[in-house]
Amino acid sequence: MRVFLGMILGALLLTMGVYIRDSMSTSTVASGQVAQPGRTIVNWDVAATDWNALKSRAHDDWVKLSSK
């Protein structure tokens, strides 16, 4: 049980770290005179679309399973 909790916590920390890094590299605060142009690590628009598709498919499958 501790292993699975550690895996979930690690995945959440990794995702939060990448999100924070991406938001800092594209923020207006970090884009001063000495800031270098950088690209984000994750394409968050595509990730949001995939997440919404996953949620929709899971909901549809749950409705199918619960109707039986």
Side-chain angles (χ1 to χ4, degrees):
M1 184 69 182
R2 288 183 184 178
V3 172
F4 294 119
L5 183 61
M7 292 165 110
I8 292 170
L9 183 61
L12 289 173
L13 286 172
L14 177 68
T15 305
M16 287 187 331
V18 169
Y19 180 76
I20 290 170
R21 190 258 180 214
D22 280 352
S23 66
M24 290 300 291
S25 69
T26 58
S27 72
T28 57
V29 175
S31 60
Q33 287 180 327
V34 295
Q36 296 178 3
R39 295 176 20 167
T40 59
I41 296 173
V42 177
N43 188 347
W44 294 104
D45 296 333
V46 173
T49 302
D50 290 346
W51 177 250
N52 289 334
L54 177 70
K55 287 193 310 185
S56 174
R57 184 173 175 186
H59 177 60
D60 293 343
D61 289 345
W62 178 257
V63 169
K64 268 197 258 181
L65 285 173
S66 63
S67 67
K68 289 184 179 183

